[in-house]
Amino acid sequence: MQELWKLLTSPRHLIVFEAAARHGSFTKAAAELNVQQPAVSAAIKKLENSLGVMMFHRNHRKVELTKAGERLFADVSIGLDHI
């Protein structure tokens, strides 16, 4: 757990990640979280950089989870549901 704590620059990034993964869209995640789309994109990029792995395949007008993203989404969504 301590290693994960050191890797994550902000727990907020996990919330942003979960919304983007659930919607398959940075724009829809931004609308849900009441922030601008570039803020979602920046948070995802920071998360990916801190973990050293890509979480999304970026396509025109949608994003898809990578295998690593699918694993993280499963764990994060369960954790947030419990909270």
Side-chain angles (χ1 to χ4, degrees):
M1 180 61 101
Q2 288 180 344
E3 288 182 32
L4 180 61
W5 181 256
K6 290 176 187 177
L7 289 175
L8 289 176
T9 54
S10 171
R12 176 184 174 274
H13 296 156
L14 293 177
I15 294 168
V16 172
F17 166 78
E18 190 276 337
R22 185 167 27 85
H23 288 291
S25 167
F26 290 178
T27 302
K28 290 179 182 177
E32 176 181 310
L33 299 170
N34 199 30
V35 298
Q36 296 293 318
Q37 185 275 338
V40 171
S41 183
I44 298 299
K45 188 154 205 68
K46 287 179 184 179
L47 177 66
E48 290 174 330
N49 288 339
S50 66
L51 296 177
V53 65
M54 296 298 292
M55 295 291 145
F56 292 96
H57 296 291
R58 284 131 170 106
N59 300 312
H60 186 67
R61 296 191 186 257
K62 73 174 190 172
V63 293
E64 296 176 352
L65 289 169
T66 62
K67 292 291 183 190
E70 290 174 3
R71 289 192 307 266
L72 183 62
F73 177 64
D75 293 337
V76 169
S77 60
I78 290 170
L80 291 174
D81 283 344
H82 286 261
I83 293 172

